[in-house]
Amino acid sequence: MKALLVYAHPNLKSFNHAVLEAVKEEFAAAGVAFDVRDLYALSMDPVLKAEDFLAIREGKPLADVAEEQRFVKEADLLVVIHPVWWFSLPAILKGWIDRVFSAGFAYAYGKNGPEGLLKGKKVAIFSTTGGSEKDYDTYGFKGAIRTAVDNGIFGFCGMEVILHHFMHAVPAVSQEEREAMLVQVRHLVREQLLSA
């Protein structure tokens, strides 16, 4: 198995970065090959532009997009680590998806409708929130995010989301609670991702 870790947080001292480090350590300990794409560290422009559409139409993605598509193509498992901002993905992550998961690479429209072209690939998502689990459940935010992201992006492209784990109220909980969250992340990696 080869994994691709897509990380979207600007602060290297954030809890999201601690999640990334935990996942990396578990994969390394298990001998799993992986690449990390730190979206804030990349020089890639996440803004979808007119030239992207022209390149897609010609079947020749721009060089920076082709590079990211190569990472996706080589991976069996995509691990996405991100904060939830405004009940959605950070703009940089959404922009990366907009450009990389393009028509002809991630999906195509045939006579029977849309077809996902990334079949056989699995996805695990680790999302941190500022809001409490109670609020997310009460107002349906988790369900909305899963519908939009798990089904609307990855499922649409033929990928199987095997895990979407939310860690709630991260800025408000104690350090001990954050440490417990990291223990759970490590457990999920060992129990669900390494056997994927």
Side-chain angles (χ1 to χ4, degrees):
M1 174 176 71
K2 185 168 186 183
L4 176 63
L5 282 56
V6 180
Y7 168 70
H9 199 289
N11 185 353
L12 295 179
K13 295 183 178 178
S14 69
F15 183 73
N16 273 259
H17 197 265
V19 171
L20 171 65
E21 290 302 312
V23 173
K24 285 168 52 179
E25 288 168 10
E26 291 299 326
F27 280 160
V32 172
F34 63 88
D35 292 304
V36 177
R37 302 309 282 163
D38 178 342
L39 300 188
Y40 282 92
L42 290 176
S43 58
M44 178 183 173
D45 182 353
V47 178
L48 185 67
K49 295 185 174 70
E51 53 263 41
D52 286 290
F53 287 108
L54 180 60
I56 291 166
R57 198 174 308 122
E58 293 176 350
K60 297 177 183 174
L62 299 176
D64 58 347
V65 172
E67 175 74 355
E68 297 306 306
Q69 288 178 343
R70 180 181 65 80
F71 281 105
V72 173
K73 199 180 298 183
E74 292 175 356
D76 305 298
L77 172 66
L78 183 69
V79 181
V80 182
I81 301 165
H82 73 90
V84 174
W85 290 340
W86 287 111
F87 310 104
S88 188
L89 303 175
I92 197 166
L93 176 55
K94 179 59 168 58
W96 183 85
I97 290 167
D98 287 347
R99 294 192 68 210
V100 175
F101 282 44
S102 60
F105 172 74
Y107 67 93
Y109 284 97
K111 50 186 169 181
N112 297 320
E115 176 190 0
L117 300 179
L118 298 177
K119 292 181 179 78
K121 296 185 183 299
K122 297 182 179 177
V123 181
I125 307 165
F126 292 96
S127 302
T128 61
T129 76
S132 70
E133 185 168 14
K134 180 183 176 194
D135 285 346
Y136 267 66
D137 289 340
T138 299
Y139 299 108
F141 297 143
K142 272 196 288 196
I145 293 167
R146 284 188 170 122
T147 297
V149 176
D150 300 18
N151 301 333
I153 296 172
F154 299 115
F156 184 84
C157 295
M159 305 170 88
E160 178 190 359
V161 177
I162 59 171
L163 172 70
H164 192 154
H165 180 65
F166 288 87
M167 291 158 279
H168 293 283
V170 170
V173 300
S174 68
Q175 182 60 28
E176 291 75 18
E177 288 170 293
R178 283 190 288 274
E179 291 295 332
M181 289 178 185
L182 290 175
V183 168
Q184 188 175 24
V185 166
R186 290 178 181 278
H187 174 77
L188 290 168
V189 171
R190 288 193 297 267
E191 296 301 314
Q192 293 190 36
L193 304 192
L194 294 179
S195 62

